[in-house]
Amino acid sequence: MAHFIKLTQAPINGENGEHVEDNQVLFNLDTVISVEPVGDKSVIQTRWGRVTVSEDLDSILDKANADNSGSSAPQFDSINRISEGAI
């Protein structure tokens, strides 16, 4: 099952330099490779590219953890094996 969070895509400039509005987007956390801070924004690298969002790292982490509803999934170790403590 996909794990989505709603974030705000950072404003970009259009073809003629005009300001394009912020867009709300859903991110599938299962496709995220990394999230890196860039000033007060963050760049999210996914399998298919990267997007700059207006939220900072702490806000993204809070949103990602907000919908756990007490459930936990097996955790993977550094070489992608299920850790023995999760079984």
Side-chain angles (χ1 to χ4, degrees):
M1 182 172 160
H3 301 94
F4 290 99
I5 59 171
K6 187 189 313 184
L7 298 173
T8 307
Q9 189 171 357
I12 56 174
N13 290 327
E15 290 180 18
N16 298 321
E18 72 273 8
H19 176 77
V20 177
E21 295 295 317
D22 295 348
N23 292 318
Q24 291 286 307
V25 291
L26 287 177
F27 275 90
N28 180 350
L29 295 177
D30 298 332
T31 66
V32 172
I33 295 170
S34 67
V35 181
E36 302 172 28
V38 177
D40 61 345
K41 299 176 181 163
S42 300
V43 173
I44 299 176
Q45 179 72 41
T46 70
R47 296 178 190 164
W48 300 282
R50 66 181 135 180
V51 177
T52 302
V53 295
S54 298
E55 289 80 5
D56 63 11
L57 292 179
D58 290 329
S59 298
I60 294 169
L61 187 60
D62 288 344
K63 288 182 180 197
N65 290 328
D67 195 27
N68 279 345
S69 64
S71 62
S72 62
Q75 299 299 307
F76 293 90
D77 66 16
S78 62
I79 55 173
N80 295 326
R81 292 180 298 176
I82 296 177
S83 61
E84 292 176 19
I87 299 175

